[in-house]
Amino acid sequence: MKLWNKHTLFTLAVLSLARIAQAESIQCPQFPSLTMKQHALTDASLFVGPPKEQVELMPDTDKDTAWTLADYQDEARQHKTSLYVVCRYKNTLQTVELVVPATAQKCSASYDQHNNLIARCQ
């Protein structure tokens, strides 16, 4: 009975960690830093591997800025790298690079009700 309880606790812990991993997501900050609030987010791009290697991915369609990640995540794993999002800002060359979680299934960039660009992967 004692082994069964340890096994049950281990299983519950693994399932809890799996849920946490599924919930991982990232989002471009609205500004490149707290002191640069005059530079709003204007664009985001997705890359396989570090952006300096310049393997930029095109969105799924010309209509929407969205990427379905399953095949890209597989490619990144095969090349022992990750997917990256590069966040770009108005009137500055400063960017923010974010590593896309391996559990993310989709990235997108769209405008909210206040006309602010929201770029995220989940």
Side-chain angles (χ1 to χ4, degrees):
M1 187 77 166
K2 208 171 196 183
L3 288 176
W4 184 83
N5 286 337
K6 286 182 181 178
H7 177 71
T8 301
L9 290 173
F10 177 76
T11 302
L12 289 174
V14 168
L15 290 173
S16 295
L17 288 173
R19 283 191 196 140
I20 291 168
Q22 287 177 344
E24 276 188 283
S25 64
I26 58 166
Q27 182 170 321
C28 286
Q30 282 300 302
F31 308 100
S33 71
L34 293 176
T35 60
M36 298 181 72
K37 293 197 180 240
Q38 71 276 20
H39 302 289
L41 180 66
T42 59
D43 189 28
S45 299
L46 183 67
F47 292 81
V48 174
K52 67 182 178 192
E53 294 177 6
Q54 300 181 354
V55 184
E56 186 172 355
L57 300 169
M58 298 297 295
D60 294 345
T61 67
D62 290 337
K63 182 180 176 188
D64 298 316
T65 306
W67 299 265
T68 305
L69 301 182
D71 291 340
Y72 299 137
Q73 292 281 26
D74 289 343
E75 182 179 341
R77 275 190 288 280
Q78 287 173 0
H79 290 94
K80 295 180 173 66
T81 190
S82 298
L83 299 177
Y84 290 77
V85 170
V86 174
C87 312
R88 294 186 184 84
Y89 299 88
K90 183 178 181 177
N91 298 324
T92 183
L93 295 176
Q94 185 172 349
T95 62
V96 173
E97 293 180 11
L98 303 171
V99 177
V100 176
T103 57
Q105 298 175 356
K106 186 170 188 145
C107 292
S108 62
S110 60
Y111 289 92
D112 68 9
Q113 67 273 18
H114 304 291
N115 209 28
N116 296 315
L117 184 65
I118 305 296
R120 67 173 55 124
C121 299
Q122 47 195 15

